[in-house]
Amino acid sequence: IPDEIVVVDNNMEVQDVNASFLRNNNLKLSEVMGRHCYELDQAVRGECQTAVEDCPFFSVMKTKAPSSMVRKFFDDNGKPRYAAIVSAPLLDRQGAVIGMIESTRDISHRITLEEELKATEVKLQQFIEMAPAATYIKSRQGMYLEINPAACRMYGLEKSELLGRTDLEV
């Protein structure tokens, strides 16, 4: 799988990693086995932040429950990056936590697209609100989904009276 997988014991020592982790970080298995997880800078999630309260290891060890988070960091070029991290405890047969398994996925592209979409939506909303002519958006069924103040004045109705209605209903 493309996600980086790391397995650590309850002393934060790496017990195993997957091929994606090794490939993404240009490492060999012998270079990571037995090292503490916080000693490894991961390309997909950035430098480890064990001092931060939301460290997945501490959260999983404390709660004995899975945790998930999105971590923002900056790459070597100062560009913001985002990683989705999902962690779960490893339990022995008696239910004691003996370690943690963690999956990390680069979601930078998705976050960037979401931010661009939000910015475009704001621009569209501003355009509709400021247009001097009656401007609206309708569904395929002809219901008003968005309508500007000029169109409301044209109808002599409030926006709330038009949204979700068709011309026939208006």
Side-chain angles (χ1 to χ4, degrees), residues 69-84:
M69 66 184 322
V70 172
R71 176 170 286 161
K72 179 180 180 178
F73 68 99
F74 296 90
D75 65 16
D76 294 339
N77 299 320
K79 182 179 176 185
R81 307 290 299 170
Y82 300 88

Side-chain angles (χ1 to χ4, degrees), residues 7 9-10 20 44 49 55 77 79 81 91 112 123 130 145 160-161:
V7 178
D9 64 17
N10 56 8
S20 292
V44 171
Q49 301 174 357
C55 173
N77 299 320
K79 182 179 176 185
R81 307 290 299 170
L91 308 175
T112 301
K123 288 178 185 175
M130 301 302 274
L145 300 175
S160 62
E161 297 174 283

Side-chain angles (χ1 to χ4, degrees), residues 79-90:
K79 182 179 176 185
R81 307 290 299 170
Y82 300 88
I85 303 168
V86 178
S87 307
L90 294 174

Side-chain angles (χ1 to χ4, degrees), residues 1 21 54 59 68 70 84 93 120 137 152:
I1 62 174
F21 178 92
D54 62 356
S59 173
S68 62
V70 172
R93 294 186 190 272
T120 301
I137 300 172
C152 292

